[in-house]
């Protein structure tokens, strides 16, 4: 197990460096720069700006300088578009926003999804089962960029109950619609996964044994069946995180939230090289670590798994 | 075998037991019968077929009957260059001309939604095919050859798997906006196809691993069949079950990814319209013209809904023991 | 059973949709757009535009930043809330010499930074020098180029001095095109008073620096060897004169700003600049705290370090989210400031902004925010703000390339565009036939250009050698016109494409000529246009840097990069003469004559004057839809008595 973890961590580092290099390469190859505005700048001023940001040095010097700073100090530099703000500061500032929405969404999805899925499994083929599974299918099929605006249309623009966009701090009314929008698809997936997992477990021998032994239905469900039902949910966490990331980008755009996803899109559009690379690297590290954690958790949950 | 991380990670429904393959060709007929018994899947199949047909011939039919193409702007009458609600004519009274209303330039929404369907389905299918081709070949080769080559190939997959793919795709698409709409589509195929081939490779590899020690493979090897033939003529056809299942899972996923990329502005460019770009256009005016979002959104949801039901049904049909996700 | 559930669900969805649609159309009856309830606290929530690049007023040239800078920083003068003319701020009064080439500003004594330090003339000297220092990389440095030696200093040029005599080479000896020296550049002459007012600076505060500024303009040549050699090779007279001379880099201390004493500032210009006081309200000329900037460097604008001097100071700043500023009790005019806080929301997506406004989450938004499609609904509301903007749209013509070098051809193309129809199509602009925005400058006798006259257009085109004939079906044709020698270029954007196609349709309809369109990305477009690498027409637009017609007319003052290749010394002379006038009325008359000369020469096809097009809640008072969309925040307040609200557009009359 320990060897597995160490091996995975060792692979992580070159992976991240490769990711950074790819992102840097793409940004460098692209046409355009970050200071093109409406008024054409006199050449002397343009030259001054280029020198100030080190853009006039040859490409290998820029690459070397960047990599050295990253590897040595974890310093991803300063944003090109935003004066005086280091990439690390920006990430630090925007991460809580994305994390808040993402974690809340996932928690909501877990609670509602597991509950609905379990009940559906226990009451298989009942009306509850069919309707909740159909709703779950809707949740998977309605894209978040359709669901979000419809929720905004009803609860904000027509009823004036909730704000249509923007971040209001934590906690605030502004969180409600984005969290619901983001969690819908996961709620659906988790409900279906839980139902499938529980159904499989409920059919198995050891549940029959537990029932035969006279355990109350409640104990059977909570102590045994649920555990089996949760396993696919846990193994889904890896891909779920990846979806959460892309879902967050869309939700942050729709609701104008100052999160990592929104910054990333802005940076891509602005050709803000250090910020793009910083965010990409951060996301890569997070994904890799989370995947590792999921694998470890899976090992604990399923004694058959050995690394 | 059980220590191979690939096999453990594959969701239970794709692990096909040995017994399946002994059944041979009647697998497909049995599967079809099972599919038809599933009412939801049949519903899904009908809707998908309907939408596909209307997406393919719809724009032409509309053009012949009403003269509206997805990009036709009625420039001769300035009263018509505005967004009409569904079934409303210029004077505000009921009219059959625009069942889904018009967008801000007076373009017929119905024609646009159908064209969006064309593009979305087209992109979905082609990208899935791309990822299929790459993934199946890669996985089959890795599984059959085994040993160090297999190890290396799977390490590459591991590394690629852990890349924040969509993020890199966004950077790629934002940096290299193609000048033509067609060029952008090609970029999209490449980007989207590249996202989903990894899991396909893993699945196929898993299958091939469990198949390659079977008797029919050994027989082929004994009679001197070359390795490529063994891989592609003997092994791959037997993996088609899970491949089809995964493909039907992938199409809606790819369509969703394309839609959200177009929504963000990185995907399909004007003058072509995909449901994602129609939705992002529609959201702009949702405060006063909500139908611009609702129709493309509902159509897309309906299509994905049906595709998912169909996929569920196919999975059930191909192996009842593979319970759905 | 499940199918019923599905159908039921779909019906539910449909009914929700219908309900939502009907909810929305009921807003047609309301007087205002959306919820109209004043906030509980005395705070003003405003969407200012894109996320500000920086809180350093020297750096950025965008409008969103400008409005924030106006809250945080003060300058010699402030923009008048209605006319945008100069209103005394840190300067109580000022004087100009007889040809407006030298100005003296008398500062108030009670100016304070937000940390309590007094504001002195030295702060202005420091800030002005900083704006034109190359390392600052300010995008606004060019606005300060009117100040003597500011431009060569910014471009890191050098003086040329004879080490033996300590004399500098003079510009006029080597460049025939140097315009005549303004009074501020001629040697001090006690016999001829420079100022017509009582305070004659020549007798009182004459330091060495002032005397030195009052010498003819020194020659400046590029500081880098490559540029210098290029110049010298082209100019043998200069090369010969360089023998035995030394190069002296231009320092910040050489530029024409000086503090005569703690509360008097002198600015010396390189040409007459009657428009200077209007220009000085621009953020480039607002002051920054020297001690703080020197101590913290690039981090001086961080909320924990920043020190400001405007009516408000920074309370909190979360980038991409909110900039909260609160009233500054140290501000010299704090008594006038009514608001307790302003919340600046950085957003640029118009529908999102309008949605926030509708739900009542913000109180006012920036200009150009109401999307075209919404105008039909929003324009009828009483919180819709309309008004002309100090910005124009036009087409540039490359006059160096035949057939566009024939003025008759150019005029024909101009005559065949119906500007009224264009304005109607665009909905928010006003048609324009001249080169300055219409109705912006009060008392400016703006000339009228040629109206829409397709007959005249065809006549001129025929006269120029490209006969236009009418076909049987009523359309026109002009077969002789070399369409391969003319194109229309624009930068890629949906609205520009629509505009190009509209122009193309007009010319086809009225002249029978189909011009080909070519689009390219912004950066390439700027380059191609500036270098005149196009044949025919290029899209153009310009917004005022300051409230004076010269900010537009100056585009053709130099040949340089006006994108048209048209340069007429007669025009330059007319503008120079106008700028030398001290009487503003006479100056306007001469500027208008120059403008008429310009539009008659037709290097451009004028199209429209932009409009402000935004919304503000009726309880927000003191905020006027002026031509620059720049608001002096100290005059803005929240009115809670509905009878005193703004019903409709508040008048811009003084």
């Amino acid at each position: 197990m320990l060897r597995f973890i160490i091996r995975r961590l060792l692979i992580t580092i070159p992976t991240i460096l490769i990711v950074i290099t790819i992102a840097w390469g793409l940004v460098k190859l692209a046409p355009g720069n970050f200071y093109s505005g409406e008024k054409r700048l006199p050449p002397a001023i343009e030259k001054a700006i280029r020198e100030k940001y080190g853009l006039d040095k040859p490409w290998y010097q820029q690459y070397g300088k960047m990599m050295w700073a990253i590897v040595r100090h974890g310093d991803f530099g300063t944003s090109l578009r935003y004066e005086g703000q280091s990439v690390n500061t920006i990430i630090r500032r925007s991460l809580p926003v994305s994390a808040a929405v993402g974690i809340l969404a996932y928690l909501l999805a877990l609670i509602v999804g597991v509950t609905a899925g379990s009940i559906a499994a226990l009451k298989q083929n009942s009306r509850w089962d069919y309707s909740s599974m159909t709703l779950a299918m809707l949740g998977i099929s309605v894209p978040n960029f359709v669901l979000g605006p419809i929720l905004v249309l009803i609860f904000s623009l027509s009823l004036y109950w909730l704000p249509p966009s923007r971040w209001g701090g934590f906690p605030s009314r502004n969180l409600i619609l984005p969290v619901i929008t983001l969690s819908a698809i996961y709620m659906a997936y988790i409900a279906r996964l839980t139902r499938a997992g529980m159904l499989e477990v409920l059919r198995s021998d050891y549940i029959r044994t537990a029932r035969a032994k006279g355990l109350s239905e409640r104990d059977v469900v909570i102590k045994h069946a649920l555990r089996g039902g949760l396993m696919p949910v846990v193994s889904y966490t890896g891909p779920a995180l990846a979806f959460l990331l892309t879902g967050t980008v869309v939700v942050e755009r729709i609701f104008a939230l100052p999160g990592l996803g929104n910054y990333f899109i802005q940076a891509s559009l602005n050709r803000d090289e250090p910020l793009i690379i910083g965010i990409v690297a951060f996301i890569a590290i997070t994904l890799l670590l989370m995947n590792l954690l999921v694998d470890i958790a899976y090992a604990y949950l399923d004694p058959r798994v050995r690394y | 075998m059980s220590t191979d991380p690939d096999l453990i990670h594959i969701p239970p429904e794709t692990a096909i037991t040995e017994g399946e393959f002994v059944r041979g060709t009647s697998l497909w007929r049995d599967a079809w019968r099972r599919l038809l018994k599933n009412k939801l899947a049949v519903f899904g199949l009908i809707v998908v077929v309907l939408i596909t047909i209307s997406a393919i011939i719809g724009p032409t039919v509309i053009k012949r009957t009403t003269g509206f193409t997805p990009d036709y702007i009625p420039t001769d009458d300035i009263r018509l260059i505005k967004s009409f609600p569904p079934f409303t004519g210029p004077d505000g009274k009921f009219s059959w001309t625009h069942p889904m209303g018009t967008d801000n330039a007076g373009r017929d929404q119905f024609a646009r939604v159908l064209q969006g369907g064309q593009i979305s389905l087209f992109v979905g299918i082609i990208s899935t095919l791309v990822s299929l081709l790459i993934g199946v070949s890669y996985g089959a080769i890795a599984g059959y050859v085994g040993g160090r080559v297999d190890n290396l190939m799977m390490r590459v997959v591991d590394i690629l798997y852990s890349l924040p793919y969509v993020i890199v795709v966004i950077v790629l698409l934002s940096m290299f906006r193609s000048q033509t709409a067609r060029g952008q589509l090609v970029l999209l195929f490449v980007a989207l196809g590249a996202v989903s081939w990894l899991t396909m490779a893993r699945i196929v590899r898993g299958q091939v691993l469990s198949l390659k020690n079977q008797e029919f493979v050994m027989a082929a090897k004994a009679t001197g069949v070359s390795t490529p033939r063994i891989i592609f003529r003997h092994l791959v056809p037997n993996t088609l079950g899970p491949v089809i299942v995964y493909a039907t899972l992938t199409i809606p996923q790819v369509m969703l990814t394309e839609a959200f990329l177009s929504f963000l502005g990185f995907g399909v460019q004007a003058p072509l319209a995909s449901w994602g770009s129609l939705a992002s256009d529609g959201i702009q005016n949702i405060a006063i013209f909500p139908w611009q979002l609702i129709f493309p959104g509902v159509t897309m949801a309906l299509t994905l809904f049906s595709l998912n039901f169909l996929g569920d049904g196919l999975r059930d049909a191909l192996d009842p023991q593979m319970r759905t996700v | 059973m499940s199918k019923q559930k599905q159908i039921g669900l779909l019906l539910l969805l449909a009914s929700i949709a219908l309900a939502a649609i009907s909810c929305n159309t009921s807003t047609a009856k309301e007087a205002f757009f959306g919820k109209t309830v004043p906030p509980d606290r005395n705070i003003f929530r405003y969407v200012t535009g894109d996320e500000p690049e920086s809180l350093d007023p020297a750096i950025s040239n965008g409008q969103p930043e400008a409005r924030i800078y106006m809250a945080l920083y003060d300058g010699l003068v402030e923009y008048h809330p209605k006319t945008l003319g100069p209103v005394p701020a840190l300067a109580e009064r000022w004087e100009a010499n007889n040809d407006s080439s030298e100005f003296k500003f008398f500062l108030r004594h009670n100016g304070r930074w937000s940390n309590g330090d007094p504001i002195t003339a030295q702060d202005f000297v420091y800030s002005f020098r900083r704006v034109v220092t190359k390392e600052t990389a300010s995008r606004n440095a060019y606005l300060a180029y009117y100040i003597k030696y500011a431009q060569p200093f910014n471009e890191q040029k050098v003086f040329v001095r004879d080490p033996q005599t300590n004399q500098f080479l003079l510009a006029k000896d080597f460049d025939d095109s140097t315009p005549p020296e303004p009074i501020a550049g001629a040697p001090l002459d006690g016999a001829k008073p420079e100022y017509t007012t009582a305070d004659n600076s020549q007798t009182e505060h004459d330091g060495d620096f002032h005397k030195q500024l009052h010498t003819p303009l020194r020659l400046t040549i590029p500081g880098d060897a490559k540029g210098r050699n290029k110049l010298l090779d082209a100019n043998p007279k200069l090369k010969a004169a360089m023998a035995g001379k030394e190069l002296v880099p231009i320092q910040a201390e050489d530029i024409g700003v000086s503090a005569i004493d703690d509360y008097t500032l002198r600015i010396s210009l390189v040409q007459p600049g009657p428009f200077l006081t209007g220009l000085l309200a621009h953020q480039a000329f607002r002051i920054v705290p020297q001690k703080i900037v020197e101590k913290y460097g690039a981090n001086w604008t961080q909320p924990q370090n920043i020190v400001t001097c405007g009516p408000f100071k920074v309370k909190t700043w979360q980038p991409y989210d909110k900039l909260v500023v609160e009233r500054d009790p140290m501000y010299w005019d704090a008594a006038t400031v009514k608001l307790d806080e302003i919340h600046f929301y950085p957003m640029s997506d118009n529908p999102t902004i309008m949605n926030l406004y509708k739900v009542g989450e913000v109180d006012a938004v920036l200009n150009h925010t109401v999307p075209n499609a919404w105008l039909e609904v929003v324009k009828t509301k009483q919180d819709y703000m309309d008004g002309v903007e100090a910005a124009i749209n036009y087409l540039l013509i490359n006059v160096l390339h035949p057939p566009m070098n024939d003025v008759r051809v150019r005029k024909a193309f101009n005559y065949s565009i119906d500007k009224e129809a264009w304005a109607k199509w665009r909905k928010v602009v006003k048609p324009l036939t001249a080169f300055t925005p219409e109705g912006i400058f009060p008392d400016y006798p703006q000339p009228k250009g040629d109206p829409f006259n397709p007959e005249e257009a065809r006549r001129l085109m025929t006269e120029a050698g490209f006969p236009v004939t009418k076909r049987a079906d009523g359309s026109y044709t002009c077969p002789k016109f070399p369409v391969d020698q003319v194109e229309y270029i624009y930068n890629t954007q949906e609205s520009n494409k629509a505009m190009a196609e509209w122009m193309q349709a007009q010319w086809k309809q009225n002249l029978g000529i189909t011009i080909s369109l070519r689009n390219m990305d912004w950066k390439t477009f700027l380059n191609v246009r500036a270098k005149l690498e196009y044949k025919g027409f290029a899209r153009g637009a310009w917004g005022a840097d300051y409230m004076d017609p010269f900010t537009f007319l100056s585009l053709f003052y130099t040949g340089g990069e006006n994108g048209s290749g048209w340069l007429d010394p007669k025009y330059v002379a007319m503008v120079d003469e106008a700028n030398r006038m001290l009487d503003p009325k006479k100056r306007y008359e001469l500027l208008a004559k120059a403008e008429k000369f310009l539009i008659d020469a037709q290097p451009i096809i004028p199209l429209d004057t932009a409009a402000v097009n935004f919304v503000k809640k009726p309880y927000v008072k003191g905020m006027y839809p002026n031509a620059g969309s720049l608001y002096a925040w100290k005059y803005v307040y929240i009115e809670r008595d509905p009878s005193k609200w703004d019903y409709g557009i508040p008048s811009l009359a003084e």
Side-chain angles (χ1 to χ4, degrees), chain C residues 212-248:
Chain C
Q212 182 234 294
L213 279 179
H214 260 275
T215 57
L217 192 70
R218 292 181 194 163
L219 174 71
T220 60
I221 58 176
D224 62 310
K226 193 158 147 219
R228 203 168 41 239
N229 292 335
K230 202 159 146 220
L231 177 70
L232 293 180
D233 288 338
N235 196 334
K237 180 177 170 199
L238 178 58
K239 196 166 184 181
M242 289 283 295
K245 307 285 194 298
E246 60 183 4
L247 303 173
V248 180

Side-chain angles (χ1 to χ4, degrees), chain B residues 240-321:
Chain B
L240 276 183
V243 164
I244 291 182
V245 165
Y246 186 68
T248 47
L249 263 180
T250 314
I251 295 184
Q253 265 178 28
V254 169
M255 284 174 67
L256 205 51
T257 311
E258 178 272 317
F260 114 84
L261 284 174
S262 300
F263 173 78
L264 289 175
F266 299 115
V268 173
Q269 304 288 325
L272 293 176
S274 104
W275 282 328
S277 63
L278 283 177
S280 96
D281 288 343
I283 288 177
Q284 302 292 314
N285 303 300
I286 200 170
I288 45 180
F289 308 133
W291 54 87
Q292 287 182 9
L293 166 74
I294 291 181
F295 285 107
V298 167
T299 313
M300 176 161 209
L302 193 62
T303 311
L304 290 177
F305 196 62
S306 316
L307 272 171
N308 281 319
F309 268 134
L310 184 61
D312 265 359
L314 274 173
R315 243 166 304 155
D316 280 352
L318 283 171
D319 185 351
Q321 282 174 345

Side-chain angles (χ1 to χ4, degrees), chain B residues 39-40 43 78 81-82 86 104 179 270 283-291 294 298 302 305 309, chain C residues 1-3 6 10 17 20-21 24 33 349 351 355 358 371 373-374 376-377 425 427 494 519-520:
Chain B
K39 282 189 277 187
L40 284 175
F43 168 78
I78 201 162
I81 302 189
K82 53 176 274 200
N104 291 343
Q179 279 293 36
I283 288 177
Q284 302 292 314
N285 303 300
I286 200 170
I288 45 180
F289 308 133
W291 54 87
I294 291 181
V298 167
L302 193 62
F305 196 62
F309 268 134
Chain C
M1 199 173 16
S2 55
K3 255 197 264 181
Q6 285 152 39
L10 286 170
I21 295 174
N24 257 279
F33 185 64
D349 182 51
N355 287 349
K358 183 168 188 223
W374 297 39
E376 216 180 87
V377 172
W425 191 85
K427 284 191 221 173
E494 193 52 45
N519 64 312
M520 55 201 77

Side-chain angles (χ1 to χ4, degrees), chain C residues 244-418:
Chain C
K245 307 285 194 298
E246 60 183 4
L247 303 173
V248 180
I250 306 179
Q251 319 262 19
E253 290 72 28
D254 292 320
I255 71 172
V257 253
S258 56
I260 302 176
D261 58 43
D262 275 347
Y263 295 104
T264 319
L265 180 76
R266 179 187 284 132
I267 303 181
S268 310
L269 305 179
V270 75
Q271 64 167 78
F275 45 82
L276 183 74
T277 44
L279 178 58
L280 287 172
H282 191 275
Q283 64 246 33
F285 301 106
R286 298 192 187 222
I287 48 175
V288 296
Q290 177 170 8
K291 288 203 278 267
I292 306 291
V293 175
E294 285 173 351
K295 182 168 176 196
Y296 295 103
N299 288 331
W300 80 270
T301 53
Q302 295 302 313
Q304 63 271 20
N305 301 333
I306 192 172
V307 166
T308 55
C309 57
F312 295 88
K313 58 179 178 177
V314 175
K315 186 173 178 194
T316 59
W317 185 25
Q318 288 115 338
Y320 256 134
D321 181 29
K322 195 158 60 172
L323 168 65
V324 177
V325 301
E326 56 183 356
R327 60 181 320 152
D328 181 0
M330 289 292 174
Y331 180 59
W332 63 268
D333 203 11
T336 315
V337 179
K338 309 255 194 350
L339 295 169
D340 288 332
E341 279 179 16
I342 302 182
H343 295 197
F344 288 108
Y345 296 156
M347 312 176 72
S348 56
D349 182 51
N350 288 346
T352 314
I353 297 174
M354 293 300 293
N355 287 349
L356 273 177
Y357 179 85
K358 183 168 188 223
V359 181
E361 296 275 318
V362 296
D363 305 305
V365 305
L366 68 155
N367 50 337
H368 306 149
T369 307
V370 183
N372 239 31
W374 297 39
L375 277 171
E376 216 180 87
V377 172
V378 178
K379 228 172 171 174
T380 60
K381 305 293 179 199
Q382 289 181 353
D383 48 351
Y384 177 70
M385 295 292 122
D386 196 3
V388 254
E389 251 204 341
I392 55 176
N393 289 301
Y394 49 93
L395 298 180
L396 282 163
I397 308 180
N398 184 347
V399 302
L400 300 176
H401 203 93
M404 306 311 288
N405 56 347
D406 185 338
V407 67
R408 291 171 298 187
V409 173
R410 302 200 292 268
K411 283 188 128 26
F413 277 103
N414 185 34
Y415 271 119
S416 54
I417 301 263
D418 185 354

Side-chain angles (χ1 to χ4, degrees), chain B residues 54 78 82 88 100 103 117 132 137 144 151-152 167 177 180 191 193 202 205 209 223 256 260 266 270 276 283 321:
Chain B
S54 25
I78 201 162
K82 53 176 274 200
T88 317
M100 288 190 183
D103 70 356
L132 251 177
S137 321
Y144 186 70
N151 247 335
L152 180 65
I167 307 295
R177 307 277 193 111
T180 65
R202 277 198 175 163
R205 175 181 173 272
L209 277 177
T223 54
L256 205 51
F260 114 84
F266 299 115
I283 288 177
Q321 282 174 345

Side-chain angles (χ1 to χ4, degrees), chain C residues 4-213:
Chain C
Q4 285 174 349
K5 290 283 174 198
Q6 285 152 39
I7 296 176
L9 271 166
L10 286 170
L11 280 175
L12 184 63
L13 264 182
S15 43
I16 291 181
L18 281 170
I21 295 174
S22 51
C23 270
N24 257 279
T25 48
S26 70
T27 61
K29 304 167 205 138
E30 295 167 12
F32 301 110
F33 185 64
K35 183 169 157 192
T36 311
V37 172
D40 301 325
R41 295 167 51 208
N42 206 11
I43 54 175
F44 174 60
R45 298 158 303 173
Y46 180 71
V47 177
T48 175
D50 261 304
E51 171 67 21
E53 213 175 334
S54 163
L55 292 187
D56 183 337
I59 302 285
S60 187
N61 63 354
Q63 236 188 7
E65 288 88 349
R67 287 185 278 258
I68 294 177
Y69 298 149
M70 284 173 72
L72 295 175
Y73 302 99
D74 213 5
L76 291 168
V77 295
E78 181 57 274
Y79 292 112
H80 187 277
K82 294 187 185 184
T83 65
L84 294 179
V87 164
L90 282 168
E92 282 179 328
R93 59 187 176 87
W94 52 85
E95 277 160 16
N97 67 356
N98 293 344
D99 70 348
S100 299
S101 60
E102 188 179 277
F103 286 76
K104 273 201 319 186
F105 291 88
F106 300 93
L107 308 181
R108 63 184 65 252
H109 294 236
N110 58 345
R112 296 267 177 277
W113 292 98
S114 57
N115 62 0
D117 289 347
I119 295 176
T120 65
Q122 194 51 39
D123 288 313
F124 282 93
V125 174
Y126 171 74
S127 304
F128 284 17
R129 286 180 183 163
R130 182 171 180 265
V131 161
V132 287
T133 302
K134 183 163 153 77
E135 284 73 30
T136 313
S138 162
R139 297 192 212 274
N140 300 309
Y142 70 96
L143 288 172
Y145 282 1
Y146 299 108
I147 301 178
K148 197 161 187 176
Y149 300 128
Q151 181 173 8
F153 168 62
N154 187 238
E155 293 171 351
Q156 293 192 321
K157 290 195 168 159
V158 295
F159 294 133
V160 184
R161 182 174 61 189
D162 186 334
Q164 276 138 14
T165 62
N166 261 350
Q167 291 294 325
F168 288 87
L169 295 187
L170 301 177
K172 63 180 182 188
D173 295 335
F174 298 95
D175 185 358
D176 293 328
S177 70
T178 317
E181 208 80 40
I183 295 179
L188 284 171
D189 181 350
K192 276 192 288 187
E194 186 177 344
Y195 288 69
T196 47
T197 55
D199 178 13
N200 194 328
S201 66
Q202 276 165 264
T203 52
E204 291 184 41
H205 314 286
D206 255 332
D208 289 330
F209 185 60
H210 189 219
K211 289 202 190 87
Q212 182 234 294
L213 279 179

